Amino acid sequence: MEQTKSLSKHAIFGNTSRKDAWWIEPVLVGLGFAAFIIYATYRAFENNYFEIGPYLSPFYSPKFTFDWWHMSPAFLILWVPAGFRATCYYYRKAYYRAYFADPPACAVGHFGAEKYCGETTFPLVMQNLHRYFFYAATVVLIVLWYDAIKAFFFDGQFGISLWNLIMLGNVILLSGYSFGCHACRHLVGGKLDCFSTNSCTKSQFKIWHWITKLNEHHMLWAWLSLFSVGFTDFCIRQVACGAFPQFRFF
């Protein structure tokens, strides 16, 4: 009976026995997500200052231009990384807490506690599409790597600038996030019961072990890459509109 009363008490939103400032993390996460979403939405609608010389904003890559499409080409692209991150296992936890308060934190009462059904009903059952978004996001990542490498060539000559180094750093961080993904980890070795069967599975184990190391810091990769992709777009925008100089070293 005591345990039942305790569970009932903590089922009320915000009720908890925790003494720490548990609410700080979801508030900061919510503000961080909001800032990025507002900026990315503004840039997509701005539809300008996204390319100059060899530099192309990651918000607009791959660059699609069609006569029948009269809106910003960014909308043809952004749904892929947006869907990949929205269905990511880490991001689910982050925005469930920050925006849905379901739950707001561990051992804290949340909304609709007695009606909680996880991700078994619409629309949250759509989170199962994560592995497919991973495939699509990998294609986009390959193109971003191409853009980053291409940015080192000015009229056919190799050169280094602050901006192509930022683009390179961005794709490295995006790769750490994408290939440290739970879906990638499962794809490489999640279906194997034994890694020592033959040389092929032994090689898979080495790759799986490397991906696991990335996965252990998935939250850090997620935030660093989210910041880097926005920062890269911002820098290219400022160069394109003339606010920042080229900063070419050679």
Side-chain angles (χ1 to χ4, degrees):
M1 182 65 71
E2 292 288 337
Q3 184 178 9
T4 302
K5 289 181 179 180
S6 177
L7 289 173
S8 176
K9 176 183 178 181
H10 291 298
I12 300 174
F13 176 69
N15 276 7
T16 183
S17 298
R18 292 178 59 169
K19 304 299 182 183
D20 62 317
W22 57 265
W23 51 272
I24 292 180
E25 181 178 352
V27 168
L28 292 178
V29 167
L31 291 175
F33 281 160
F36 180 82
I37 292 170
I38 291 172
Y39 174 77
T41 303
Y42 165 75
R43 284 291 289 133
F45 277 104
E46 185 181 29
N47 193 21
N48 202 358
Y49 304 126
F50 56 82
E51 184 179 24
I52 179 171
Y55 311 130
L56 176 63
S57 165
F59 286 178
Y60 288 81
S61 179
K63 186 173 69 173
F64 291 133
T65 54
F66 302 105
D67 294 336
W68 51 266
W69 184 258
H70 303 293
M71 297 178 65
S72 168
F75 291 115
L76 296 173
I77 305 301
L78 289 180
W79 65 271
V80 175
F84 180 50
R85 289 183 183 263
T87 57
C88 166
Y89 290 101
Y90 163 69
Y91 278 118
R92 297 183 207 182
K93 164 194 166 184
Y95 65 73
Y96 284 176
R97 292 184 174 188
Y99 294 133
F100 303 154
D102 194 14
C106 291
V108 179
H110 56 100
F111 286 119
E114 71 285 352
K115 298 179 180 178
Y116 182 74
C117 59
E119 298 175 346
T120 60
T121 60
F122 185 82
L124 296 183
V125 70
M126 301 295 289
Q127 304 284 27
N128 292 314
L129 294 175
H130 181 59
R131 71 185 70 177
Y132 304 107
F133 276 115
F134 167 72
Y135 303 146
T138 300
V139 175
V140 173
L141 180 60
I142 293 172
V143 176
L144 291 177
W145 268 103
Y146 169 79
D147 292 339
I149 295 172
K150 182 182 176 183
F152 282 86
F153 294 89
F154 302 85
D155 298 322
Q157 294 186 335
F158 179 81
I160 297 178
S161 71
L162 175 61
W163 314 122
N164 55 31
L165 290 177
I166 288 176
M167 291 178 69
L168 179 62
N170 177 53
V171 292
I172 291 174
L173 292 174
L174 287 173
S175 298
Y177 169 65
S178 296
F179 295 120
C181 168
H182 298 75
C184 181
R185 185 168 177 261
H186 176 77
L187 180 67
V188 171
K191 295 182 180 181
L192 295 178
D193 295 324
C194 180
F195 283 111
S196 59
T197 305
N198 52 54
S199 59
C200 182
T201 55
K202 288 179 181 179
S203 297
Q204 277 188 260
F205 174 74
K206 292 180 181 179
I207 300 173
W208 177 86
H209 186 263
W210 179 73
I211 290 174
T212 298
K213 289 296 183 181
L214 293 176
N215 183 260
E216 289 173 355
H217 304 284
H218 199 45
M219 179 181 73
L220 179 61
W221 287 111
W223 279 105
L224 289 178
S225 61
L226 189 73
F227 172 79
S228 73
V229 72
F231 182 67
T232 301
D233 170 81
F234 173 77
C235 290
I236 293 175
R237 182 196 184 281
Q238 297 305 97
V239 174
C241 71
F244 289 171
Q246 288 283 347
F247 281 128
R248 283 182 61 180
F249 303 130
F250 68 87

